[in-house]
Amino acid sequence: MLRYAITRLISLGVSLLAASLLIFFVIEVIPGDAASFMLGLNASPETVVALREELGLSGSLMRRYLDWTGGMLIGDFGVSYTYRVPVSELVMARISVSLPLALYALILTITMAFPVGIFAAFNRGKLSDFSLMGVTQLGIAIPNFWFAMLLVMAFAVSLKWFSAGGFPGWENGVLLGLKSLTLPALALAVTQASILARVMRSSIIETLSQDYIRTARAKGLSRRQATTRHALRNAMIPVLTIIGLQFSFLLAGAIIIENVFFLPGLGRLIFQGITQRDLIVVESVVMLLVFAVVLVNFVVDIAYAITDPRLRTGR
Amino acid sequence: MTLLSVQNLNVKIQDFAILNDISLEIPTGRSFGIVGESGSGKSMTALSIMGLLPTQGVRRTGRIVFSGKDLGLLTERQMCAIRGKEIGMIFQEPMTALNPVKTIGHQVAETLILHAGFSTRKARREAKERLDRVELPQSTFPLHLYPHQLSGGQRQRVCIALAIALRPKLLIADEPTTALDVSTQAQILKLLRSLVEEEGMSLMLITHDLAVIADMAEEAAVMQDGHVVEHGQTERLFRHMRHPYTKKLFASHRLETSRKPHQHRKALLEVSDVRRQYKVRDNSSLWIKTAIKTAVRDISFTLFKGESLGLVGESGCGKSTLARAILGLDSLQNGVIRLDGDVIDSQVKTGVDVRRKMQVVFQDPYGSFNPRHSVKKLVAEPFHLIGNPYPRQARDQRVGMALKEVGLSPSDMHKFIHEFSGGQRQRIAIARALVLRPELIVLDEAVSALDASIRSQILDLLNQLQDRYGLSYIFISHDLAVVKAVTDRVLVMQNGRIVEVGKTTDVFHSPQHPYTKRLLAASPTIPEDWVPTHDWPTELSDHSLQ
């Protein structure tokens, strides 16, 4: 197990290194000067030179890469060109919205998907399975921004249970913060839960046809016992993969939902960074997201090993 | 006294009759065998007794009375209480029969906790004792092992341990040794026999192998197409064979092929001092450690033109590794392999002329074809090897001819593989091997997955093709009866070495090496004096395609 964890950790480090090199070279080395790109067509040469100095674009390639990565290691991501504040501050403020939102959405996803997937698998071929799968089909098909607007109309406009958007900040109380994230999390979770429920269902059905389930039944376990004791854990292996992918997506891909609900999240930050040509923000946030995704994959890998002993001991 | 009585059992799945009027009686403390080919309803009978038939679209009539209880009248809950407690069952495929994510201790103890209400501690203690009983001592097989850390035979022992954990009155064993090699089979059968003798258990043994039935069962039933065609005391059943199907089954079991001995002078394949090693990673330690495993140790032999050479040994002895080396799939660490004088080496790109001279047929007639390709495309595949030299028409013609040679119709080339039975698929595999007119065909367990009657048809076909084209065969099999029937010479392998080589008849009649003797002793046989004296009816020698 330890060896497995260490090899995964090494692969995590290598992924990060490769990603940082790629991001750095795409932005720095590709033809076109970052400073003049950021300033637009009508910038005077002097401002460009000044910005180049400020961005630290004048040193050698190696030096600039080391400065950038070294800075990130100690939490210094540079200063945003448009906001004129350190990128780390910007990012921290945004993460405090995006990370809870992603986690919240993931928890909703799992709590919706697992019961639905298990129930549908258990009643395979029956009307209940058919209708549940129909609902998940719909859940995948409906664009989540549209669903978000429906949620706003129902729960914010008509029932007035939630606010229609915005984020009050955590300093006004955790409950209030969570409340304002509920509708966006739900809007995000519906699509993800629909996907996950379908994966869960087919994974369980596949597992239920395995020989060891027959062995369990021959031992005298009821259908339900055989499913809960022997099928679920085996069925979790493909489900874990999907959960990992979904969390990465929820963290970085919530941009449309963030826009619908006026949430100051990471997605919006990147989007603004791109439209305002703030390469420093873009570069740093992309790197941060890569880090998050790689970290999630690491966690998923460890979860695999906990679920499946064959990975722990090697074959 | 009768323990289990099946009376007029009929099972239909969606109006398709699976079992017709099955009646059986299994006495207490005896072994009862059911023999038949695949699809004859053997397993369905067992699953009916266990109440584990699929739930949808199944209609069951008739009575199954087990120690005084009519199982058909019980609720599902009551049935659960009987399964595992009073009737245990083990299955064919030990590799997949255990849950890969739970320890063996957990899986054995589960039965005890579930049925007998044991505490975890008591169940674990009992599980140790049960694993000991199936000869998996705690010192080498502690409870915390996972199934993947055990071999096939060891896993089958775990399956037996959990099936007998509560000392059931009846143990149903569905092809328990089919997936195992001869010596492991002998050990498992011995274990089952001792359970019947010492624990007073009844055994219902399902198999396709007549020799296993002869060896194990006091009474037996022969099944065909969902009917019991004959049943009775085993010895009497063998001596008399009243039903023509029993005779047919017996005839194909005996593998009397029409093979003529061949004169061999010219060497085709020369294997000299071949060593094959590979690195294995030791995953148990923190650091990356590799060990070198020698799978084939300095093997030399010559295969002559038109000769059939058998290669036998237990699983893991290096048979398949040697075959891969001969086919030029792996690089050698020492020695040289020549085919018709040309060196075969995976490092240097072996020439087209060499490659086209050898082909291979594998065991699994279901897994070795791409299901989305037409038969034409599948059989024509080897043409890629030689750079597609023929125009399409000539290619189709050759595919058609190859199909005809293996007893199929040229028009079959437009069909897909799922439209064929297992035996027909193996014919297609042979057609694919034949299409380039090779000189050597390596048959890696090529008939192991087939029923006896289909198997003898395929072996006859191989003999005919050999006569017609002077083909040489390397016949890799764990089934000694097959090797005995169709080869001229045989190599016996153990731990990567050839321990005995000689004419097949000599090796089988007077084995020299202790390992060969052990191997031969392990394979079950029908006693010579059980064989009926009358001749086989002539219409049975006429092998028609199924």
Side-chain angles (χ1 to χ4, degrees):
Chain A
M1 182 74 192
L2 186 61
R3 214 191 82 135
Y4 176 80
I6 290 174
T7 51
R8 297 329 298 161
L9 212 56
I10 292 171
S11 111
L12 177 144
V14 172
S15 310
L16 284 182
L17 187 71
S20 68
L21 282 170
L22 188 72
I23 294 168
F24 178 78
F25 279 98
V26 165
I27 290 184
E28 304 269 333
V29 175
I30 277 177
D33 177 64
S36 43
F37 171 75
M38 284 167 74
L39 289 169
L41 285 173
N42 303 326
S44 68
E46 296 78 45
T47 10
V48 174
V49 171
L51 184 62
R52 281 185 65 89
E53 276 303 309
E54 192 189 325
L55 293 177
L57 289 180
S58 30
S60 76
L61 213 57
M62 188 70 186
R63 165 114 226 126
R64 284 187 343 241
Y65 175 73
L66 288 179
D67 278 349
W68 179 59
T69 47
M72 279 194 298
L73 284 179
I74 55 164
D76 174 13
F77 291 84
V79 177
S80 158
Y81 173 67
T82 40
Y83 295 91
R84 291 290 159 193
V85 285
V87 174
S88 53
E89 268 176 39
L90 273 178
V91 165
M92 278 321 286
R94 301 306 180 99
I95 278 189
S96 70
V97 178
S98 279
L99 192 64
L101 177 63
L103 280 173
Y104 195 177
L106 191 71
I107 289 166
L108 286 179
T109 300
I110 291 171
T111 44
M112 287 191 281
F114 277 30
V116 170
I118 294 167
F119 184 80
F122 217 76
N123 294 291
R124 185 190 182 186
K126 294 186 190 160
L127 186 67
S128 51
D129 172 34
F130 189 72
S131 17
L132 276 176
M133 284 307 108
V135 171
T136 59
Q137 192 75 270
L138 212 63
I140 295 171
I142 291 177
N144 59 10
F145 66 87
W146 187 73
F147 185 67
M149 292 193 295
L150 286 187
L151 286 176
V152 169
M153 272 151 61
F155 294 101
V157 179
S158 303
L159 294 167
K160 301 201 190 315
W161 290 354
F162 297 96
S163 64
F167 185 69
W170 296 109
E171 57 279 2
N172 294 323
V174 176
L175 270 181
L176 202 64
L178 282 182
K179 201 177 159 195
S180 67
L181 291 183
T182 300
L183 290 186
L186 196 61
L188 284 168
V190 163
T191 316
Q192 305 303 323
S194 302
I195 296 170
L196 195 63
R198 296 179 77 90
V199 173
M200 187 87 195
R201 172 184 175 272
S202 54
S203 179
I204 292 177
I205 287 173
E206 154 119 37
T207 314
L208 283 177
S209 69
Q210 297 290 319
D211 285 353
Y212 51 81
I213 299 297
R214 191 181 55 185
T215 307
R217 295 277 284 138
K219 267 202 245 181
L221 272 70
S222 66
R223 245 159 72 79
R224 188 172 301 271
Q225 282 171 322
T227 311
T228 49
R229 283 161 174 257
H230 291 279
L232 281 190
R233 194 159 144 197
N234 282 290
M236 278 312 288
I237 295 166
V239 172
L240 279 173
T241 315
I242 302 294
I243 291 180
L245 292 173
Q246 289 186 326
F247 185 68
S248 313
F249 168 78
L250 288 172
L251 200 59
I255 175 163
I256 294 174
I257 291 297
E258 283 173 5
N259 268 322
V260 171
F261 289 95
F262 305 108
L263 294 176
L266 277 178
R268 287 232 294 177
L269 181 65
I270 286 206
F271 184 69
Q272 285 158 354
I274 291 170
T275 49
Q276 289 156 357
R277 304 185 166 192
D278 193 342
L279 284 185
I280 303 170
V281 168
V282 174
E283 198 177 45
S284 307
V285 177
V286 168
M287 190 61 214
L288 203 75
L289 289 173
V290 168
F291 178 71
V293 170
V294 172
L295 195 69
V296 168
N297 283 342
F298 174 73
V299 172
V300 169
D301 279 344
I302 297 297
Y304 275 153
I306 291 168
T307 315
D308 190 345
R310 283 165 293 188
L311 287 174
R312 261 175 280 172
T313 41
R315 294 219 57 147
Chain B
M1 210 189 97
T2 307
L3 176 69
L4 176 81
S5 150
V6 177
Q7 298 155 13
N8 309 101
L9 175 68
N10 284 283
V11 171
K12 278 187 178 176
I13 297 183
Q14 264 130 18
D15 293 330
F16 187 75
I18 303 289
L19 296 178
N20 300 296
D21 228 12
I22 304 288
S23 295
L24 300 168
E25 302 248 310
I26 301 184
T28 309
R30 303 287 289 268
S31 298
F32 186 92
I34 296 186
V35 67
E37 296 186 298
S38 43
S40 62
K42 308 183 297 276
S43 298
M44 277 302 182
T45 307
L47 291 176
S48 304
I49 295 168
M50 291 294 276
L52 287 178
L53 288 171
T55 44
Q56 282 163 355
V58 173
R59 276 191 301 136
R60 190 177 88 171
T61 58
R63 267 156 59 89
I64 300 174
V65 181
F66 174 75
S67 70
K69 286 175 285 232
D70 186 340
L71 299 186
L73 301 177
L74 300 184
T75 61
E76 173 60 21
R77 183 184 282 264
Q78 288 167 322
M79 233 8 250
C80 281
I82 285 185
R83 278 182 223 127
K85 188 166 182 223
E86 296 189 41
I87 311 178
M89 184 162 180
I90 56 172
F91 300 94
Q92 171 168 4
E93 195 37 85
M95 298 311 275
T96 51
L98 293 168
N99 186 342
V101 305
K102 301 237 169 151
T103 62
I104 58 170
H106 182 104
Q107 297 190 52
V108 177
E110 188 176 30
T111 320
L112 300 159
I113 296 170
L114 203 73
H115 289 293
F118 280 22
S119 67
T120 314
R121 177 188 295 226
K122 196 173 166 209
R124 286 177 67 86
R125 204 170 51 227
E126 191 76 8
K128 280 183 195 161
E129 201 252 314
R130 297 277 88 186
L131 285 170
D132 261 345
R133 178 67 189 83
V134 296
E135 289 145 42
L136 294 175
Q138 278 308 294
S139 48
T140 18
F141 302 97
L143 296 182
H144 61 74
L145 288 186
Y146 285 97
H148 71 270
Q149 293 166 307
L150 305 178
S151 72
Q154 289 161 353
R155 290 187 210 190
Q156 194 60 295
R157 284 171 193 271
V158 174
C159 291
I160 295 174
L162 64 86
I164 61 156
L166 285 158
R167 300 166 209 274
K169 294 176 192 148
L170 173 67
L171 178 65
I172 302 176
D174 188 354
E175 302 271 8
T177 57
T178 308
L180 306 172
D181 62 38
V182 233
S183 2
T184 321
Q185 161 165 296
Q187 291 162 13
I188 296 286
L189 291 179
K190 193 172 142 227
L191 173 65
L192 289 175
R193 201 179 298 129
S194 77
L195 286 171
V196 173
E197 281 163 12
E198 290 160 29
E199 318 248 338
M201 212 177 271
S202 299
L203 175 69
M204 178 169 156
L205 179 69
I206 295 171
T207 178
H208 67 281
D209 190 340
L210 283 171
V212 169
I213 290 286
D215 207 25
M216 293 286 295
E218 289 142 327
E219 290 184 33
V222 179
M223 284 190 74
Q224 179 198 20
D225 296 335
H227 296 269
V228 171
V229 296
E230 193 170 356
H231 71 108
Q233 204 252 336
T234 311
E235 186 178 341
R236 215 173 308 149
L237 194 98
F238 274 91
R239 283 186 192 278
H240 298 298
M241 299 200 187
R242 287 199 199 85
H243 197 277
Y245 179 72
T246 315
K247 290 173 190 159
K248 184 176 169 222
L249 209 58
F250 190 79
S252 37
H253 178 81
R254 294 230 299 183
L255 283 171
E256 280 169 339
T257 54
S258 51
R259 200 181 141 69
K260 307 175 202 91
H262 294 269
Q263 290 285 320
H264 316 295
R265 269 188 215 106
K266 196 156 172 281
L268 175 69
L269 180 79
E270 291 161 282
V271 174
S272 43
D273 295 321
V274 162
R275 192 186 305 150
R276 176 79 189 100
Q277 293 170 314
Y278 50 88
K279 286 186 188 141
V280 277
R281 265 174 64 174
D282 177 8
N283 281 314
S284 56
S285 85
L286 189 53
W287 304 108
I288 296 166
K289 267 199 232 162
T290 52
I292 297 216
K293 187 171 156 40
T294 308
V296 171
R297 296 165 198 264
D298 307 316
I299 279 187
S300 303
F301 67 88
T302 307
L303 172 72
F304 297 97
K305 277 198 175 150
E307 185 186 33
S308 289
L309 181 71
L311 194 54
V312 299
E314 293 169 298
S315 46
C317 73
K319 304 186 295 274
S320 293
T321 312
L322 180 60
R324 286 180 61 85
I326 291 170
L327 290 165
L329 298 175
D330 291 329
S331 61
L332 305 177
Q333 278 62 52
N334 187 32
V336 66
I337 300 175
R338 278 176 217 277
L339 182 71
D340 235 358
D342 298 311
V343 175
I344 297 169
D345 189 342
S346 72
Q347 300 293 326
V348 227
K349 201 163 157 40
T350 311
V352 165
D353 289 341
V354 185
R355 284 205 176 267
R356 69 180 299 171
K357 285 183 193 158
M358 53 185 181
Q359 290 293 315
V360 62
V361 178
F362 292 108
Q363 171 173 5
D364 187 359
Y366 293 92
S368 49
F369 291 106
N370 185 335
R372 287 180 187 82
H373 287 178
S374 66
V375 167
K376 179 166 83 176
K377 194 161 178 191
L378 291 170
V379 174
E381 215 152 27
F383 287 129
H384 287 288
L385 203 65
I386 55 169
N388 271 329
Y390 307 110
R392 191 201 295 193
Q393 234 177 353
R395 205 164 66 213
D396 289 358
Q397 207 183 352
R398 290 189 63 151
V399 169
M401 265 164 62
L403 288 173
K404 219 165 143 185
E405 274 165 344
V406 297
L408 297 171
S409 144
S411 62
D412 285 336
M413 71 168 83
H414 303 295
K415 293 186 185 165
F416 287 86
I417 203 71
H418 66 264
E419 298 172 63
F420 296 91
S421 68
Q424 289 170 324
R425 289 178 201 207
Q426 215 54 332
R427 285 175 190 268
I428 293 168
I430 295 169
R432 171 163 73 180
L434 278 178
V435 80
L436 284 186
R437 300 248 171 284
E439 304 204 9
L440 167 65
I441 298 183
V442 176
L443 300 148
D444 192 352
E445 302 280 6
V447 294
S448 301
L450 304 176
D451 273 325
S453 58
I454 315 293
R455 186 178 65 188
S456 54
Q457 289 171 15
I458 296 286
L459 293 174
D460 279 341
L461 170 70
L462 289 170
N463 286 338
Q464 289 161 20
L465 293 171
Q466 186 167 47
D467 286 344
R468 205 177 306 156
Y469 298 111
L471 293 170
S472 302
Y473 294 136
I474 294 182
F475 219 101
I476 302 172
S477 183
H478 68 276
D479 188 339
L480 298 176
V482 170
V483 173
K484 185 180 174 184
V486 300
T487 61
D488 302 306
R489 271 194 311 150
V490 64
L491 303 177
V492 184
M493 276 185 83
Q494 183 193 20
N495 294 332
R497 285 203 179 83
I498 293 176
V499 294
E500 185 160 355
V501 54
K503 274 196 175 155
T504 305
T505 42
D506 298 347
V507 172
F508 276 83
H509 285 123
S510 51
Q512 299 302 309
H513 195 274
Y515 177 74
T516 318
K517 287 180 188 162
R518 215 163 65 223
L519 214 56
L520 286 173
S523 82
T525 45
I526 300 170
E528 290 283 335
D529 60 327
W530 283 19
V531 180
T533 42
H534 51 78
D535 287 328
W536 306 113
T538 43
E539 77 267 26
L540 291 171
S541 59
D542 171 28
H543 293 302
S544 55
L545 258 178
Q546 349 109 46

